Amino acid sequence: MSPAASRPQLAYLTAALDELRAKGTHFNLRVLEGPQQPVCRYDGREVINLASNNYLGLADDPRLVEAAIAATRKYGVGSGAVRTIAGTMRIHMELEEKIARFKNAEASVVFQSGFAANAGTVSAILGKDDFILSDELNHASIIDGARLSRAKIKVFRHKDIAHCEELLQEVAAEPGRKLVITDGVFSMDGDIGPVDKLAALAENYGAIMMVDDAHASGVLGRNGRGSVDHFGMHGRVDVQVGTLSKAIGALGGYVCGSRDLIDYLYHRARPFLFSTSHPPSVAATCIAAFDILEQEPERIDRLWSNTRYFQGELHRAGFNIGGVTTPATETPITPVIVGEGRAAMDFSRALFDEGVMATGIAFPTVPEGKARIRLILTSEHTRAQLDQALETLERVAKKMGILKQE
Ligand SMILES: *Cc1c(COP(=O)(O)O)cnc(C)c1O
């Protein structure tokens, strides 16, 4: 036994892990050997990759790689400080200007991740006398930001505008500020947040409107401008968050809004103030990615065409891809509902052994009884790869009793 293993202080963690093992939901990390691609090698096995958020195949795009290398040669590998001390490089400002123009917003600020953008922004703009009205399926980073703000959190039922309004009425007489917040695309079910209706509601009640477009960035709206563009709501959403880590292919998160919102976040958002800024290579990569979004909308067309084809075939094969007891997907995020946590994890493992990488997701990430595998299409999957994945999914599901044998 190692000296650390004999110490009793952390034995409760071992017990908790044993409990996960007993439930069949413990996992080991799958290790990718090589770039993030439609077919790649995890743990030494070649698989069709339906698990990444690399929607547009940009994670290893040669032009982005070149941009990262060129910036590294020119500016080095690190920024050397937080943004507010000495770590704001010209290229950071260029990326923010580029994002603001792309999103048709006055200004933009980039954080180290989408998580940091959400948590840092919500906690900065609200305080303990304020109210946050949050969709029950909003992302963990929103929930953490809400908790850090110490504002009172009112959770409305998923996409339930009437319920959100009820909660707004309840707190209307309170002096605190109100923030209505939703994901643009919900990450577990793939449905689209009712940004148009919520923004109109927020306006009626004088509430701030905020959208987290992590899974909408590069996917929804013209050239992937996101949910606000998708719904034609420009100018009516006060705070737009996006990620640079999914369709954009690199790493980071951003907030778009008024010049004063961004200036305020410069002064008060804690991840901005207390954590070092991106290496210049990341900023350069993202700048190159936005050029591609503008110049190659056909990537997004391919993404949607793959999505329609794949989801149509899954539906035809009899899979439950949501829409009855869970929301129906409207995006490339494709849940295949299995039910019990252990069954979903077993399905995921069996698919991996047969050459398909599909994430198993169980409680507490999704409700008890709604465990699933989650598949994500990209623009770069070929029809042949999708057909092979469909054949495997059907064969393994039948063997495991997830699909009925005909
Ligand atoms: C992935 C995700 C984030 C976090 O983005 P990162 O850039 O990976 O930190 C935030 N919100 C939602 C809805 C997400 O799906």
Side-chain angles (χ1 to χ4, degrees), residues 2-18 21:
S2 72
S6 66
R7 285 167 61 80
Q9 286 86 340
L10 295 181
Y12 69 103
L13 300 183
T14 311
L17 288 170
D18 287 343
R21 285 190 189 90

Side-chain angles (χ1 to χ4, degrees), residues 99-100 103-109 209 235 237-241 254-263 265:
I99 293 171
K103 297 282 284 189
N104 198 18
E106 233 175 78
S108 146
V109 54
M209 181 68 206
V237 172
D238 303 289
V239 188
Q240 288 188 64
V241 169
Y254 58 85
V255 179
C256 286
S258 70
R259 169 49 54 204
D260 281 353
L261 168 71
I262 302 312
D263 197 23
L265 292 174

Side-chain angles (χ1 to χ4, degrees), residues 43 103 128 153 197 199 205 231 266 282 339 360 381 383 403:
D43 294 343
K103 297 282 284 189
K128 66 174 170 39
I153 303 165
K197 298 194 182 72
Y205 285 83
F231 284 110
Y266 283 175
V282 173
H381 286 101
R383 198 47 68 88
L403 273 186

Side-chain angles (χ1 to χ4, degrees), residues 122-137:
V122 174
S123 60
I125 64 174
L126 296 178
K128 66 174 170 39
D129 298 325
D130 300 329
F131 295 89
I132 297 173
L133 295 97
S134 178
D135 187 289
E136 64 181 334
L137 296 187

Side-chain angles (χ1 to χ4, degrees), residues 6 8 53 89 109 157 171 221 248 269 284 320 330 332 354 383 405:
S6 66
N53 300 314
M89 295 174 129
V109 54
R157 288 187 295 272
V171 300
I248 304 303
N320 174 2
E330 301 169 272
E354 296 296 320
R383 198 47 68 88
Q405 314 262 2

